[in-house]
Every structure is written in structure tokens, then in C-alpha cells.
Amino acid sequence: MIKVQVVLSPALLHLFDSKNKNVVVIDILRATSTICTAIAHGALSVKPVNNTDDALILKGSGYLSAAERDGHKLEGFDMGNSPFECMNGAVLGKKIALTTTNGTKCITAATIAGAANVLSGSFLNITALANFLKADSRDVILFCAGWRDRVNLEDSLFAGALVNRLVSKDELDCDSALMVMDLYHRAKSNLGLYLEQSSHYKRLSRLHHQEDMEYCLQSDVIDIVVGLKKGEMVNMA
Ligand code: 3SL
């Protein structure tokens, strides 16, 4: 039986033992959804970097530079953090160096914590991801990126959806996993409507990213699993 635990915020990661586990980093709106989309649309890799300088240095080595802070695309970069920027051949055959407010930092944190695999979580490929985790059979940490160390609803909801696919309630011994599972059951009939109350949904609405959110809340439009190899997010196949 796979042991599944849920980390609701980066500030709580140190309380869990991530060593040799499959750690799924979850930043539904939008970093980990965008990373899955980039790889599904033919990007060779997405390298998570923690600051804008590193993204610009990598641009000098042929990477597309991508940067977001507080929901804004930063001036002087090839891309921001929208999944739509990865479509229509824009990233085909390219490597991307991406820095975001929360998500990319969590990929680094999971690596430092000793994860066996660091995987990108998204509704877009939830079935492929759940099948990978079940087949691999290592214990699993679902690591919600949240917003600046605060818990958020959308990452918690996705964690609940994934817990629901991996184990039954009576197999859980983690209260945060039980909590997000209940949250997911409450919201699943209309995730978008449920999330309208949430702070990041409101933030991204103010920035006119409605279309990105609708896209990121779709299930199973991507059939690959994306994870870290040699410091870059790639197709795990
Ligand atoms: O914080 C992040 O990593 C981003 O996904 C936030 S945003 O959706 O691009 O605003």
C-alpha cells in the first residue's frame, strides 16, 4: 500500500520526510500546469530557476527565458507563465528556463529534500500521473506550493483529487490528506465555481487570466508525466 501525505504549504515541508519518495509539486494556477503543457507541446525541457538573473543567463545558452512575479509576465523575458504561450509551436524543440513566484521554488525545495522523483502536478494529466505513482509504488508526498507560504484552495483541491485516486480514506494516516479529500468531494462538481472564492483566482481574474484558469482546471487533456531529470523537467517516458 502506498503511503500518501499532503504538505499544505512550503512552510510545512520540513515536517515531512521526503527522502526517496515521489514528491508531486502542485501549483495548479499556474506553474506546474504550464510546465506540463510546455512538455506536451514539444518543449525539450523546463529548467526551474529561483531568480530572474539565472533565467537570463540561460537565455545566453539558447534557452527561452520565462519569468512571472505576482501573476505578471516580467519585462525582457521571452515568456511569462501562461500555458497558452507554450502552444502553436512556440516551444517546440526548445528548452525553457522558468522562474515563478512559488512553483519553481518548490521544485527546488523538493529536490533538496531528497525526493526520488520530483513530479509536476496538474489536473491536465491527473490520470497519467496517478497511474505512474501507482505503478512506481514508492510513498508519495503531495507538495502544495500555495501562495508565499500560505495555504491555497486550488492546490489543496488538486491534492484531494489525487489522494482520491491513489488510496481509500481508511488507508490514510495523514490529517491534511483527509482534509483535502473532503474538500475535493465538496468542490468536484464544479471546481471553477468553487474556486471563484479563492484569493489567487481573484488575483488572476484581476489580471485577465480567466482563460488560463479555465484551461488549467480541465482534466486529462495531456497523457504524459513530467518530472525532474538532471535538474530539468522532462517527459518521464
Ligand atoms: O506562483 C507561481 O508559481 C505561479 O504559478 C503564480 S501565477 O499563476 O503565474 O500568478
Side-chain angles (χ1 to χ4, degrees), residues 27-34 68-73 80-82 98-105 145-148 154 200 203-204 207 209 212-213:
D27 191 327
I28 293 304
L29 301 175
R30 299 165 287 170
T32 52
S33 300
T34 297
E68 166 277 333
R69 287 293 179 271
D70 297 325
H72 297 275
K73 174 184 172 184
N81 184 29
S82 168
L98 171 68
T99 179
T100 69
T101 310
N102 304 283
T104 52
K105 290 186 185 120
W147 184 262
R148 296 189 184 282
E154 65 275 14
H200 197 42
R203 181 181 298 110
L204 291 178
L207 298 173
H209 293 316
D212 283 17
M213 294 191 282

Side-chain angles (χ1 to χ4, degrees), residues 34-35 37-38 41 79 82-92 96:
T34 297
I35 291 170
T37 303
H41 283 261
M79 303 164 60
S82 168
F84 287 100
E85 292 173 293
C86 304
M87 297 178 187
N88 303 317
V91 300
L92 190 64
I96 303 168

Side-chain angles (χ1 to χ4, degrees), residues 127-195:
T127 298
L129 181 57
N131 289 341
F132 176 96
L133 294 169
K134 282 191 264 191
D136 186 80
S137 81
R138 283 186 180 86
D139 289 341
V140 172
I141 300 270
L142 303 183
F143 178 18
C144 300
W147 184 262
R148 296 189 184 282
D149 276 351
R150 296 180 191 185
V151 172
N152 76 20
L153 268 185
E154 65 275 14
D155 297 344
S156 304
L157 271 183
F158 175 78
L162 195 49
V163 173
N164 191 49
R165 284 166 184 254
L166 295 176
V167 289
S168 63
K169 212 169 181 179
D170 54 10
E171 290 171 328
L172 285 170
D173 186 21
C174 170
D175 286 10
S176 45
L178 285 165
M179 211 168 85
V180 294
M181 210 176 188
D182 276 355
L183 189 73
Y184 171 66
H185 286 307
R186 191 181 164 92
K188 67 183 174 191
S189 62
N190 193 336
L191 295 178
L193 187 65
Y194 190 80
L195 287 175

